[in-house]
Amino acid sequence: MDGNYGGTLNLRLSVADTVIFLDFPRILCLSRVIKRRFMYAGQSRPDMASDCPERLNWEFLKYIWSYPITRRPGILEKLSQVRPNQQVIILRKPIEVREFLQKISQY
């Protein structure tokens, strides 16, 4: 599953067999958002719809900065309550993501 849509998290968790939670430090998230803003200023990113230009505003920056306090605890609580047949993988650093991707590409 992808995204931060809290309103549908329970529904998505109920049908997921595996959850990968990218639990990166907020300074990393913030720096990547700012970098994307400059890389794709006034245009759409390749992974976005063509009519969705890269934007950056104070509300979004505030959301990123407050996420570890306001959103993360609730998500971690829900992830701790998944069924025994569901797998939760929490990756906290980019190196962990690379290692995980390398590991699963061997299958």
Side-chain angles (χ1 to χ4, degrees), residues 85-101:
N85 65 325
Q86 292 176 294
Q87 181 179 18
V88 175
I89 300 165
I90 300 176
L91 304 172
R92 292 185 172 87
K93 301 175 185 174
I95 186 84
E96 292 176 358
V97 173
R98 286 190 293 276
E99 290 169 353
F100 174 76
L101 292 173

Side-chain angles (χ1 to χ4, degrees), residues 11 20 33-34 39 59 65 85-86 88 92 106-107:
L11 175 63
I20 301 169
V33 165
I34 292 168
M39 285 179 62
E59 290 301 315
W65 192 254
N85 65 325
Q86 292 176 294
V88 175
R92 292 185 172 87
Q106 296 171 357
Y107 292 105

Side-chain angles (χ1 to χ4, degrees), residues 7-97:
T8 61
L9 183 57
N10 289 335
L11 175 63
R12 292 179 291 145
L13 283 175
S14 72
V15 296
D17 62 4
T18 304
V19 176
I20 301 169
F21 180 44
L22 301 180
D23 192 16
F24 289 170
R26 65 177 152 193
I27 197 72
L28 176 62
C29 297
L30 193 59
S31 67
R32 286 182 172 185
V33 165
I34 292 168
K35 180 181 174 183
R36 274 198 322 254
R37 169 60 173 93
F38 287 105
M39 285 179 62
Y40 299 103
Q43 57 184 321
S44 298
R45 294 192 329 247
D47 60 323
M48 302 280 285
S50 61
D51 59 344
C52 191
E54 188 67 32
R55 293 191 179 107
L56 186 62
N57 59 40
W58 178 247
E59 290 301 315
F60 189 44
L61 293 174
K62 196 164 92 173
Y63 174 83
I64 294 165
W65 192 254
S66 65
Y67 180 89
I69 298 163
T70 61
R71 307 281 181 155
R72 181 179 178 271
I75 292 171
L76 291 173
E77 175 64 25
K78 288 180 182 190
L79 294 180
S80 74
Q81 298 172 2
V82 298
R83 296 183 310 273
N85 65 325
Q86 292 176 294
Q87 181 179 18
V88 175
I89 300 165
I90 300 176
L91 304 172
R92 292 185 172 87
K93 301 175 185 174
I95 186 84
E96 292 176 358
V97 173

